[in-house]
Amino acid sequence: MINTMIFDFNGTMFFDGKIQKESWGEFLKEEFKCTMTESEFEKHVAGRNNRDTLEYYAERKISDVSNGCKMLENTD
């Protein structure tokens, strides 16, 4: 019987920082037509949740919706 479990994410046993940086870079280039700087990665991506990162690049808040889908809220 298993009575202990180790959950690893981003750096405890597996180091996926390079993959994370590359993936975010490609996504931001395609969706937001921008290039992520090293400073932006450190400040707005690494160790942050997706909402924080997307709100920074979209330059607006993301609203919650009851069905689990997310849409960028246009605040214009």
Side-chain angles (χ1 to χ4, degrees):
M1 176 158 110
I2 297 174
N3 60 10
T4 304
M5 181 182 294
I6 297 174
F7 177 74
D8 175 42
F9 189 70
N10 294 354
T12 306
M13 294 169 37
F14 300 99
F15 300 95
D16 66 345
K18 183 178 177 183
I19 295 168
Q20 180 189 31
K21 186 184 291 187
E22 290 173 2
S23 296
W24 272 107
E26 289 176 22
F27 171 78
L28 294 170
K29 188 174 190 177
E30 185 175 317
E31 297 298 324
F32 290 93
K33 311 297 186 243
C34 68
T35 302
M36 177 180 59
T37 66
E38 183 66 31
S39 175
E40 286 176 317
F41 177 76
E42 292 173 7
K43 194 172 188 178
H44 301 288
V45 179
R48 302 287 182 165
N49 65 47
N50 291 342
R51 175 182 282 214
D52 292 340
T53 301
L54 291 171
E55 286 181 347
Y56 171 75
Y57 283 100
E59 298 179 336
R60 60 183 135 201
K61 294 289 184 185
I62 297 175
S63 63
D64 291 324
V65 292
S66 61
N67 67 2
C69 296
K70 293 285 181 198
M71 299 297 290
L72 294 177
E73 182 178 282
N74 189 348
T75 57
D76 295 339

